[in-house]
Amino acid sequence: MTHRPIRIAPSILSADFSRLGEEVRALDAAGADYFHVDIMDGHFVPNISFGPMVMQSIRKLTTKTFDVHLMIAPVDPYIAAFAKAGADSITVHAEAGPHLQRSLQAIKAEGKRAGVAINPATPLSAVEHILDDIDLLLVMSINPGFGGQTFIPHAMEKIRQAKALLGNRPIDLEVDGGVTADNARELAQAGINVFVAGTAILGGNDMTTYASRIAAIRNAASTVTA
């Protein structure tokens, strides 16, 4: 189970992009802790989202943490651009290049929190030698590329193993994919403290529902006690 503060991170990939600024303001007011910003290149993952200019345009609308998830390869050439555009935390994929530690060093050189993401089929051994270089470990519970996918069941055991691997290190454990109020408690029990949720919060894009949906995930996760 987790002992770090619970953080709810709506994924703006699920926002209505015709009114993106309004969506950001609504999520901020609804109690989002972080904004999870999915950057996709159509190469590493089979979808394209947006680039640093769009992110920079919404950065001024909130003071909340921008949790930027770079699903791009090669990733190193873009780290500085997203740092400059307002990222607070930058997560790169272990699978995105041959020199993971170098990528993490580049993020740290920009003064940002460094994270590593691993896809469902990637073993935890891919990150065990860089744990002292990261602030966040993101376990993907879907195959990245599209929102609205269903949680992959075997990810739960992987999360438990990830928590054990992290030990007492001051590292956030994040999950992305199929997160709902229904599985948030079990995820928290497994060790998750940062919950990325797209459809579960923004589905239907009715801004009046965001606060109750965020609260439902937070409340479910918070029922876990040490």
Side-chain angles (χ1 to χ4, degrees), residues 3-203:
H3 299 281
R4 297 180 64 79
I6 297 295
R7 297 288 182 258
I8 310 301
S11 171
I12 63 172
L13 185 68
S14 296
D16 178 351
F17 276 62
S18 71
R19 51 177 187 166
L20 184 56
E22 295 174 57
E23 294 270 47
V24 169
R25 290 189 181 96
L27 289 165
D28 193 338
D33 299 301
Y34 294 173
F35 284 87
H36 190 76
V37 184
D38 287 311
I39 306 299
M40 303 178 178
D41 64 357
H43 169 69
F44 181 67
V45 292
N47 198 3
I48 298 173
S49 58
F50 53 85
M53 291 180 65
V54 171
M55 195 183 91
Q56 187 173 27
S57 73
I58 59 173
R59 172 70 276 190
K60 62 182 178 289
L61 302 179
T62 176
T63 60
K64 301 284 179 66
T65 294
F66 268 32
D67 172 36
V68 179
H69 179 192
L70 298 183
M71 288 170 275
I72 56 180
V75 69
D76 289 6
Y78 300 96
I79 288 171
F82 282 99
K84 185 178 295 185
D88 297 293
S89 176
I90 297 177
T91 296
V92 298
H93 270 261
E95 308 89 357
H99 305 294
L100 179 56
Q101 189 177 45
R102 180 180 295 166
S103 299
L104 297 171
Q105 289 173 333
I107 296 170
K108 293 288 193 177
E110 295 291 337
K112 308 301 181 181
R113 298 179 76 240
V116 170
I118 53 174
N119 286 331
T122 300
L124 286 166
S125 59
V127 300
E128 63 181 328
H129 297 298
I130 50 81
L131 294 179
D132 293 327
D133 300 305
I134 63 174
D135 302 291
L136 179 149
L137 176 60
L138 169 54
V139 178
M140 294 301 299
S141 46
I142 58 169
N143 289 295
F146 298 94
Q149 298 184 61
T150 301
F151 185 90
I152 296 174
H154 68 69
M156 195 68 75
E157 179 57 30
K158 189 176 185 180
I159 289 165
R160 295 187 185 99
Q161 293 170 0
K163 180 61 177 175
L165 183 64
L166 294 180
N168 293 320
R169 294 179 177 88
I171 296 172
D172 286 322
L173 187 55
E174 183 174 53
V175 62
D176 183 358
V179 173
T180 68
D182 292 332
N183 61 19
R185 186 176 190 277
E186 187 176 3
L187 287 166
Q189 287 178 320
I192 293 297
N193 73 289
V194 182
F195 297 77
V196 177
T199 304
I201 294 173
L202 289 112

